[in-house]
Amino acid sequence: MAVAAAVLALATMAVTGTVVVRSAAADGAPDRPTIRYTEYGIPHIIAAGWAGLGEGYGYAAAKDNICTLADTYLMVDAQRSRYLGPDGRASPGQNQNTTSNLNSDLYFQRINDNRVVERLLDQPAPAGPEPEVKDAIRGYVQGYNRYLAETGAANISDPACRGAAWVRPISELEVYRHAHAEIIMGTADPLLDGEVTAAPAFGSSASQQARPADEVGRQLADAMAASHKETMGSNALAVGSQGVSGGTGMLLANPHFPWQGKNRMWQSQLTIPGKINVSGASLLGLPAVNIGHNNDVAWSHTVATVAPFGLFDVQVDPLHPTKYLVDGNWVDMTSQQVGVDVLNKDGSLGRVTRTLWATRYGPITTSLQGVMLPWVVSAHAVRDVNMDNLRALNTWFHLDQAKDVHEVVHTLEATQGVPFFNTVATDRTGNALYADIQAAPNITDAHAQSCLTLTGQVLFNQSPLNNVPPISIFDGKRSECDWPDDPNAVAPGLLDPHAQPRLIRSDFVGNANDSPWLANPEQPLSYPRVMGDASNARSLRTQQLILTAQNRINGTDGLPGKGFTPENLRQLLFADHSRAGDLALDTTVAMCQGLFGGLVFVDGTLVNVSEACPILAAWKDHSYTLDSRGSVLFANYWMYLLSGTVPWQVPFDPKDPVHTPNSLDGGNSALRDALARAVLALRNAGVRLDASLSEVQRVTRNGEQIPIHGSLAALGVLNVIDSGKGADGTQDVTFGSSFIQQVAFTADGPPQASSVLTYSQSANPNSPHYADQTKLFSAGQWVTERFTEDQIAASPVLEVRVLG
């Protein structure tokens, strides 16, 4: 069925604007941007050009999430304090509510005053957006503003912003500012507060400056490690032709993102006949697919172990602390007055102005992830590898049109726009790709050895068990320590993309937020230290991902046959299996059963843990499915055990990285203490030790508590779910698996895909798509994707909107 004919036949079902007529274009594209809604409110947007595609995306995204988007534009316009007050909380980075509205506004106002985004827009590609990107964003703005004009702010159904003065039409600049904010968020979280409050310290602060370098390094590493436990992550597994049963290539995309706020993902299909046909999800408000597939390639991203920033320790003049030493000469810092409007408690508007400081390397900061870096005899300047990066938009537009994994590699190298992400992909020809090719600082191992400060050496070469990227602190007294320009890099200060790791195989590659070293254990990778560690212990989640792939390909996982099928790949993810359970449960049960009287004295309290022994012993499948009992108890026990050093008897062996370390020391007191603390914590919270996961881990939607399966990354569960604990011990999910997609290719025919957006398409509690996919996810079910025109037209709930 031709596209135009299909649209014409269905146009009467639901039309916005003028009725579509048969297109005169040879490619069969409709005259007007057209949105076809199928099950669960998934929009399939088709248009004759990029502007029309963007318009359809903008209209549909605003319809589902106008309040979330408007709140994001308020943030990047630095006006949260003006409308919401300076003391409210803002989420400029990866985590939720990490700073005040006032600090967020000052941070973004400085960027706006410096016209960072405007200067990038004035540059030709690849530094600036390509023409197709500009067309799509121009259309996006028209679509967003069209929806707002048709609806009216006073009539928005979402109570979060109904009638709010800050819900208003947007400009193209605001969309680019939003994109830029997403690209720099890896730096904003740990450094924003320190940048906007930086001022010279005197008096008692001088003693803080004199802390031993190794102590400061450890404090910084611990703070970053604690933050990383709460930040974004992901799993991705690409399977090639040798690992697939009855196909050529398969992909499992499993990004872990916040379940609310500006980093929500949103699903769509974008089609310009003859040019692009891509399906998947994007960060809400970016009119391209970030994770998904087209007719020939499927890809996903995972958070990489590259720090998107570095610090420079500059010596300052004690009498004139805004002077710093470079190559033997004293140089004046630059000062900048940054002011924002604030809403006073009496309803009047005030003004807050601060003086912010910068060096040749970048802004001064006096803290990193809450650890103080006093500005006394030296100061610390920030260089952000992504501050001049809008290239990511070009990257995703090209990925959306890639024909095979080799084109994916070319796109990553030619744009270097990916910010702090790995890319995992497969294609129709049966190749599986892992690539950590991104905007990385140009820090070779030799450069690091020459320029790291003592504190920087500790932080850069820290233990990989902290799962923290190598963060550099360089000697700012020497200009030669700045990141050098590489002739092969796309922009100044970037690492040569050809020096960044990649691997193409026909069995499998994958990543679960560890470094690139073991994308496939049969072919370990090497790379500069700035990209991450190597030859060190992998996380339990990485072990679980590799073992899942190996056992399925070899047919040793207890399932029928060998190799992946769409059904068993989905089944293996939603088995919610815990690698920690495999490694630790038997020893833990034996320890528990061997305790005299089941009594443990811990933290000044005598705890009887005997009730826990049979509950743990009965948890035989080591799963975090809804009906699992013993899993809640084990999760609490394991997290207490991880708060110290886990007493493994067999240490890590780089020759057997998937199976070591192992074998807990059952006689170590850390085990019984952790179990006693877990039992005590659950009892104090009123949670039964044998409570099923469904009784404890839920998400609330319109007063209904929906049980959610999965668990913490530290347990080695692929389906990561994290939550905040209520006073009653229940856990309302805040973070974890978001847009999950499984894609399979064959030699011919369309791709076969299933997906589920765990928190559903809309943040609006009055939307029919506020919790529908959440309930589907709860039940362990998937949405069968409609990709071809015939599949879309066959949807029994098809609704068509034509934008006149």
Side-chain angles (χ1 to χ4, degrees):
M1 181 184 295
V3 173
V7 172
L8 179 61
L10 296 163
T12 56
M13 297 182 66
V15 178
T16 298
T18 59
V19 176
V20 69
V21 297
R22 183 179 298 274
S23 171
D27 58 12
D31 287 341
R32 297 288 183 265
T34 302
I35 308 167
R36 290 82 57 80
Y37 288 101
T38 58
E39 293 87 338
Y40 301 97
I42 298 171
H44 306 259
I45 302 161
I46 187 168
W50 294 100
L53 200 64
E55 184 177 359
Y57 182 105
Y59 188 95
K63 177 176 176 289
D64 282 344
N65 293 287
I66 185 72
C67 292
T68 302
L69 286 166
D71 184 76
T72 300
Y73 301 133
L74 190 69
M75 179 190 75
V76 298
D77 282 343
Q79 293 189 334
R80 293 185 64 83
S81 298
R82 175 188 177 93
Y83 288 97
L84 305 177
D87 299 327
R89 304 302 296 175
S91 304
Q94 302 174 58
N95 299 329
Q96 290 295 304
N97 301 325
T98 55
T99 191
S100 67
N101 285 343
L102 179 58
N103 282 358
S104 174
D105 286 344
L106 290 166
Y107 180 80
F108 285 107
Q109 190 61 53
R110 177 191 227 173
I111 292 173
N112 297 345
D113 287 349
N114 291 338
R115 303 186 76 253
V116 171
V117 175
E118 291 91 327
R119 286 189 289 103
L120 295 173
L121 291 175
D122 289 339
Q123 297 184 36
E130 295 185 354
E132 295 84 355
V133 175
K134 291 183 176 181
D135 287 346
I137 287 182
R138 183 174 68 253
Y140 171 89
V141 170
Q142 293 172 348
Y144 179 98
N145 289 343
R146 181 191 185 99
Y147 174 79
L148 183 58
E150 289 178 359
T151 304
N155 299 317
I156 291 172
S157 62
D158 190 342
C161 67
R162 183 186 302 130
W166 46 270
V167 181
R168 58 194 190 278
I170 60 170
S171 67
E172 294 172 38
L173 179 58
E174 287 165 299
V175 181
Y176 287 113
R177 284 176 173 174
H178 172 207
H180 186 256
E182 295 294 341
I183 292 166
I184 65 172
M185 64 180 170
T187 300
D189 262 343
L191 290 161
L192 182 153
D193 285 334
E195 289 184 30
V196 300
T197 59
F202 299 96
S204 61
S205 297
S207 62
Q208 296 178 341
Q209 182 81 27
R211 290 175 295 169
D214 58 344
E215 176 186 325
V216 177
R218 285 194 300 270
Q219 288 179 352
L220 293 171
D222 289 345
M224 290 299 295
S227 172
H228 272 239
K229 292 178 182 178
E230 304 169 357
T231 193
M232 298 188 300
S234 299
N235 311 306
L237 178 67
V239 187
S241 55
Q242 292 186 9
V244 172
S245 175
T248 57
M250 291 185 63
L251 178 82
L252 176 67
N254 179 212
H256 307 144
F257 273 70
W259 278 33
Q260 57 280 312
K262 74 178 181 66
N263 289 325
R264 283 177 63 101
M265 302 195 80
W266 186 74
Q267 186 175 358
S268 66
Q269 181 178 359
L270 306 175
T271 304
I272 302 174
K275 290 185 179 180
I276 185 173
N277 189 18
V278 62
S279 179
S282 57
L283 289 173
L284 182 64
L286 303 184
V289 168
N290 302 139
I291 291 175
H293 72 89
N294 56 34
N295 195 56
D296 301 299
V297 178
W299 73 96
S300 189
H301 295 301
T302 63
V303 176
T305 54
V306 175
F309 63 89
L311 301 181
F312 291 83
D313 187 317
V314 295
Q315 180 180 332
V316 300
D317 182 342
L319 299 179
H320 305 282
T322 59
K323 292 181 178 292
Y324 64 105
L325 195 63
V326 181
D327 297 335
N329 299 311
W330 291 105
V331 181
D332 288 324
M333 294 181 184
T334 57
S335 65
Q336 183 175 357
Q337 296 293 310
V338 178
V340 297
D341 292 334
V342 299
L343 181 66
N344 296 323
K345 292 182 179 180
D346 62 2
S348 63
L349 279 182
R351 186 81 173 167
V352 171
T353 301
R354 285 190 192 162
T355 302
L356 306 184
W357 298 91
T359 68
R360 61 185 294 157
Y361 305 109
I364 294 292
T365 186
T366 49
S367 69
L368 171 61
Q369 202 61 56
V371 176
M372 299 306 297
L373 298 170
W375 178 356
V376 184
V377 297
S378 71
H380 290 82
V382 180
R383 184 169 182 184
D384 184 349
V385 74
N386 286 311
M387 187 56 70
D388 293 325
N389 182 5
L390 270 183
R391 302 180 307 276
L393 293 173
N394 299 332
T395 303
W396 284 312
F397 269 68
H398 281 286
L399 289 179
D400 288 356
Q401 302 170 75
K403 298 299 183 183
D404 55 36
V405 297
H406 302 287
E407 282 196 20
V408 171
V409 171
H410 173 74
T411 291
L412 298 177
E413 289 182 339
T415 61
Q416 280 191 276
V418 171
F420 58 88
F421 292 147
N422 302 287
T423 303
V424 177
T426 191
D427 63 23
R428 185 179 291 279
T429 61
N431 292 310
L433 166 72
Y434 166 82
D436 190 5
I437 304 172
Q438 57 168 298
N442 188 16
I443 301 174
T444 63
D445 292 348
H447 192 59
Q449 183 177 3
S450 171
C451 288
L452 285 168
T453 65
L454 293 177
T455 300
Q457 291 176 23
V458 176
L459 190 58
F460 193 76
N461 298 307
Q462 65 190 292
S463 166
L465 296 178
N466 281 339
N467 195 28
V468 178
I471 299 171
S472 63
I473 304 179
F474 281 171
D475 180 3
K477 296 190 300 298
R478 296 184 286 148
S479 62
E480 64 185 11
C481 285
D482 200 355
W483 305 339
D485 297 340
D486 189 285
N488 294 319
V490 175
L494 297 187
L495 185 68
D496 179 356
H498 304 98
Q500 300 182 36
R502 79 286 308 277
L503 179 64
I504 297 176
R505 291 181 62 90
S506 59
D507 52 356
F508 77 92
V509 295
N511 184 266
N513 304 129
D514 267 321
S515 68
W517 180 49
L518 284 191
N520 183 298
E522 298 299 320
Q523 195 173 349
L525 296 172
S526 59
Y527 38 84
R529 169 63 181 160
V530 70
M531 305 298 297
D533 67 282
S535 301
N536 287 302
R538 303 294 87 182
S539 71
L540 295 186
R541 186 155 51 93
T542 292
Q543 292 183 19
Q544 182 65 28
L545 184 71
I546 292 173
L547 289 169
T548 293
Q550 290 178 330
N551 292 338
R552 178 78 298 265
I553 291 173
N554 296 329
T556 56
D557 56 5
L559 297 177
K562 294 182 178 181
F564 281 102
T565 65
E567 294 75 19
N568 63 41
L569 183 55
R570 295 193 296 266
Q571 180 182 350
L572 287 168
L573 178 65
F574 282 0
D576 296 311
H577 193 80
S578 168
R579 176 68 174 155
D582 292 346
L583 291 172
L585 184 65
D586 289 347
T587 301
T588 300
V589 170
M591 174 275 299
C592 183
Q593 294 171 339
L595 292 171
F596 180 75
L599 298 176
V600 179
F601 190 75
V602 64
D603 300 334
T605 302
L606 189 64
V607 183
N608 189 334
V609 301
S610 57
E611 180 190 356
C613 303
I615 294 171
L616 290 174
W619 185 49
K620 297 182 182 300
D621 65 356
H622 308 165
S623 80
Y624 280 81
T625 54
L626 292 181
D627 58 356
S628 65
R629 296 183 182 275
S631 59
V632 175
L633 173 59
F634 183 85
N636 280 267
Y637 155 73
W638 189 250
M639 297 312 293
Y640 278 115
L641 190 61
L642 288 181
S643 65
T645 301
V646 178
W648 299 113
Q649 296 185 89
V650 177
F652 170 73
D653 181 355
K655 296 180 181 178
D656 188 15
V658 181
H659 301 97
T660 59
N662 61 49
S663 303
L664 281 180
D665 179 3
N668 193 295
S669 62
L671 274 67
R672 67 170 185 264
D673 291 350
L675 181 59
R677 291 187 176 105
V679 168
L680 187 62
L682 290 175
R683 286 174 176 163
N684 288 342
V687 177
R688 301 191 327 274
L689 300 188
D690 67 343
S692 67
L693 186 67
S694 63
E695 297 175 67
V696 176
Q697 185 168 271
R698 307 166 181 169
V699 66
T700 305
R701 293 288 184 265
N702 285 332
E704 178 183 1
Q705 292 188 326
I706 303 170
I708 301 296
H709 56 99
S711 195
L712 301 171
L715 289 157
V717 176
L718 295 179
N719 179 29
V720 170
I721 295 293
D722 203 350
S723 50
K725 293 184 179 180
D728 60 354
T730 59
Q731 303 172 349
D732 210 73
V733 173
T734 59
F735 168 88
S737 292
S738 52
F739 174 69
I740 308 173
Q741 187 174 56
Q742 168 268 312
V743 184
F745 292 107
T746 56
D748 52 21
Q752 303 169 19
S754 299
S755 66
V756 61
L757 186 61
T758 58
Y759 37 68
S760 305
Q761 283 281 84
S762 178
N764 178 2
N766 291 316
S767 167
H769 307 299
Y770 176 61
D772 52 355
Q773 287 197 65
T774 308
K775 294 177 181 178
L776 197 74
F777 174 63
S778 173
Q781 298 176 359
W782 300 68
V783 180
T784 300
E785 182 188 82
R786 297 182 181 276
F787 184 69
T788 69
E789 289 301 314
D790 287 342
Q791 290 169 347
I792 296 167
S795 172
V797 298
L798 184 66
E799 177 186 350
V800 179
R801 293 181 180 270
V802 181
L803 303 184

